[in-house]
Amino acid sequence: MKLKGSCHCGTVHFSLESSTPYPYQRCYCSICRKTQGGGGYAVNIGGDARTLKVTGWDDISIYHAKLKRKGERRSHTSTAQRHFCRRCGSALWLYSPEWPELVHPFASAIDTPLPVPPEYTHLLLAYKAPWVEVKAGRKDKQFAQFPLESLHDWHERLGLLSTD
């Protein structure tokens, strides 16, 4: 499925192909919540990094989150690149060099109508803010950390892989 997205002010536009377009993962970690998730979580989807086309590159800023593992005294910088519009602050996508074939656009930046998922996965709940109420449906899965099932595997299990 071809996805088109943009920032709020319209300076940055992007498109990419996705075989996993269902916005089903709700991430409650503090990084996602503070950089993109005004409701207490962020939703990203998967896309083919080779197909990413962008207009407005000069107006994109990249943020590398600071991470501190339990028991460590010092933080380290994440290799993941969170792309934002430097003019309006819209979160656009995440790219990680550990998975160079993937790009993860934030569902909130996608302008293409996305399909409604039949269930949701709530992840990194161990890091959610105390004020956030998890509204999980009967079929939804909940994880303190990361689920074993990948974004691709979830789409495949439910017969939702997009081939157009």
Side-chain angles (χ1 to χ4, degrees), residues 36-134:
Q36 199 277 322
Y41 59 86
V43 178
N44 65 39
I45 51 185
D48 182 346
R50 296 170 300 173
T51 65
L52 180 65
K53 293 180 176 55
V54 180
T55 59
W57 268 114
D58 291 345
D59 289 300
I60 292 177
S61 290
I62 296 174
Y63 174 66
H64 292 271
K66 303 291 184 216
L67 305 172
K68 188 173 180 185
R69 294 185 183 100
K70 281 188 177 182
E72 290 184 351
R73 294 177 65 129
R74 303 180 88 171
S75 62
H76 67 280
T77 302
S78 170
T79 58
Q81 304 167 6
R82 287 172 167 76
H83 293 74
F84 293 85
C85 173
R86 71 175 180 87
R87 293 181 185 266
C88 68
S90 295
L92 302 168
W93 69 85
L94 178 137
Y95 171 79
S96 180
E98 284 83 2
W99 297 278
E101 69 281 1
L102 297 174
V103 65
H104 294 285
F106 291 107
S108 57
I110 299 298
D111 300 318
T112 305
L114 294 171
V116 176
E119 63 185 52
Y120 294 92
T121 296
H122 304 266
L123 59 113
L124 295 172
L125 288 168
Y127 306 98
K128 79 171 189 57
W131 58 266
V132 175
E133 183 180 343
V134 177

Side-chain angles (χ1 to χ4, degrees), residues 24-40:
Y24 77 96
Q25 276 193 347
R26 295 178 176 181
C27 181
Y28 294 82
C29 80
S30 65
I31 301 165
C32 285
R33 177 172 37 87
K34 290 185 176 201
T35 61
Q36 199 277 322

